[in-house]
Amino acid sequence: MAVEGSDSGEEAEPRALAEPRATRRYAVAPGYRLNVRSGPGTRYPIVRVLQYGARVPINCQKPGETVTGPYGTSNLWDNIANGQFVSDAYVNTGSDGYVAVRCA
């Protein structure tokens, strides 16, 4: 059996794929049906509306329009899916800053 980095000329056995990490989900403020927009601001079109009690993943975050909500005033917008953003002021992240990488 060859091991990685050996000079035996044999192919190394494939490594087991890493288990996918469970995506953390954050609660949207209670009592709100949150608008999901195509970009980081209220001038972007609404692409859908989240139901009461929704929990969202945060793939990345980016600065945009400043919004005041139940969790303060913030210019951060959370990317919850491809082309879908919600204001961080409505998401209970437990932080006033970034909790995910910046969106490209």
Side-chain angles (χ1 to χ4, degrees):
M1 170 171 83
V3 291
E4 202 164 27
S6 74
D7 292 326
S8 67
E10 296 177 29
E11 286 188 35
E13 289 184 16
R15 287 185 172 188
L17 295 175
E19 290 293 317
R21 271 190 306 158
T23 302
R24 180 166 182 191
R25 292 185 166 270
Y26 298 87
V28 171
Y32 288 91
R33 293 189 61 209
L34 189 57
N35 291 332
V36 179
R37 297 186 177 271
S38 64
T42 60
R43 291 192 175 109
Y44 288 88
I46 295 171
V47 295
R48 66 182 174 124
V49 179
L50 299 177
Q51 297 301 313
Y52 295 113
R55 297 181 67 82
V56 295
I58 298 178
N59 302 318
C60 61
Q61 294 174 291
K62 73 185 310 179
E65 180 183 347
T66 299
V67 172
T68 299
Y71 298 116
T73 300
S74 178
N75 74 332
L76 287 182
W77 286 74
D78 305 330
N79 173 267
I80 63 169
N82 189 24
Q84 298 183 22
F85 291 86
V86 295
S87 170
D88 194 64
Y90 286 85
V91 180
N92 186 5
T93 63
S95 172
D96 287 337
Y98 287 88
V99 296
V101 298
R102 284 184 179 233
C103 300

